[in-house]
Amino acid sequence: MEQDSNSEDDSVGPAEDDAQPPFPLGLSDSEAVEVLWQVRTQRRQTEPDLPDTVTRLTTPEGSIVYLVGTAHFSDSSKKDVSTTIRAVQPDVVVVELCQYRVSMLKMDEKTLLKEAKDINLEKVQQAIKQNGVMSGLMQILLLKVSAHITEQLGMAPGGEFREAFKEAGKVPFCKFHLGDRPIPVTFKRAIAALSLWQKARLAWGLCFLSDPISKEDVEKCKQKDLLEQTMSEMIGEFPALHRTIVAERDIYLTHTLRQAARCVEAPPNAEKVPAVVVGVVGMGHVPGIERNWDKELNIHEIMSVAPPSRFAWVVRNVLKGAMWGLLGYACFRASKGVGRALLSFPTVQSLLENIQKPSV
């Protein structure tokens, strides 16, 4: 659920004004660590002037979490993230991603734009294999929502997470955590919360999503993330679906942020000191994280996935049988066409005539 990344990003070097000071020659490893720790401490602002999208949370031990609320398709949000990380020099950066979406951190903008728009058969098959038929199809439909926004804006999603990854690599000793619940768990719990009729209605709405979106709309959604607002408008009549996709993930993100905010060891004596954490999440999750911050949380409850019902098993096998049937029919039609093509060749016709002649 949490994942550390290397504190240095080889593909992105530090900015010129962030360059590390030259080290005195002959330092031991422990001395070098202490110097780097002091450099980071000197750069860390105790009373930073941060954007309005940043919420400050604290723990009983004195750790501080700077929660950056972002819009997933926003250049302004990327600036908010970089400003916050540079100002507070955190021990940990936590982003609203899970291991199934971590690839977007290293992809370039052009590749991500192509990937977001290209929903093909291979992606459908992969989603079904990973999540099951119903959850997999729902994932594809939700990807379609993201692709629709991408196409309207010409902007790939996740820019604020890539910015966080890049800036975290410039901060000495900074760890990078994936803070979101694994997406297969979210989709399976979401599907289980809907009746068959509700699934059909939701799928219909997602399939025919076509409302135009402007960049001004995105910036307005700094008060509520665009992707989550689009989804909220569509799933508002399904409280159970909203609970699994938004409210449960609020709880999970709160849990991972609190875990990241545990005290850290400071050199040279490994003394426990309060941590500084930057969390990067969609603006729609900020109120829920604030509500849950001081509550007792039951993570096991929102990680369980009920086994499929007998009805779901029947539907899955009927769909699988239908797919195999269509594939077999396509192969049959293709083979008949190939056979007719082969029989039209004079060489094949002559060979058949020789076979059919009685032997003397």
Side-chain angles (χ1 to χ4, degrees), residues 9-59:
D9 181 7
D10 295 335
S11 63
V12 183
E16 191 171 325
D17 57 351
D18 285 335
Q20 302 292 349
F23 281 95
L25 296 176
L27 287 181
S28 65
D29 289 346
S30 60
E31 289 171 333
V33 166
E34 191 171 353
V35 168
L36 276 176
W37 186 275
Q38 291 171 355
V39 167
R40 190 188 65 174
T41 301
Q42 291 168 2
R43 290 178 178 173
R44 179 178 287 171
Q45 300 176 23
T46 53
E47 296 293 335
D49 182 17
L50 299 176
D52 294 337
T53 54
V54 179
T55 300
R56 189 177 184 271
L57 302 170
T58 59
T59 69

Side-chain angles (χ1 to χ4, degrees), residues 273-287:
V273 297
V276 173
V277 177
V278 170
V280 182
V281 302
M283 181 60 74
H285 288 293
V286 173

Side-chain angles (χ1 to χ4, degrees), residues 126-137:
Q126 183 179 0
I128 291 175
K129 182 178 179 181
Q130 179 177 294
N131 301 309
V133 175
M134 296 304 297
S135 297
L137 292 176

Side-chain angles (χ1 to χ4, degrees), residues 217-228:
D217 292 330
V218 176
E219 294 309 320
K220 288 177 185 176
C221 285
K222 290 292 284 296
Q223 301 306 313
K224 188 171 185 181
D225 176 64
L226 178 60
L227 182 58
E228 289 174 7

Side-chain angles (χ1 to χ4, degrees), residues 177-219:
H177 286 182
L178 305 177
D180 204 0
R181 182 172 65 179
I183 198 167
V185 175
T186 297
F187 281 127
K188 287 175 182 177
R189 286 183 61 85
I191 291 298
L194 296 177
S195 67
L196 184 61
W197 173 242
Q198 288 175 325
K199 292 170 189 174
R201 290 176 62 191
L202 179 63
W204 179 266
L206 291 172
C207 282
F208 292 95
L209 179 72
S210 59
D211 293 338
I213 300 166
S214 68
K215 290 192 175 182
E216 289 74 22
D217 292 330
V218 176
E219 294 309 320

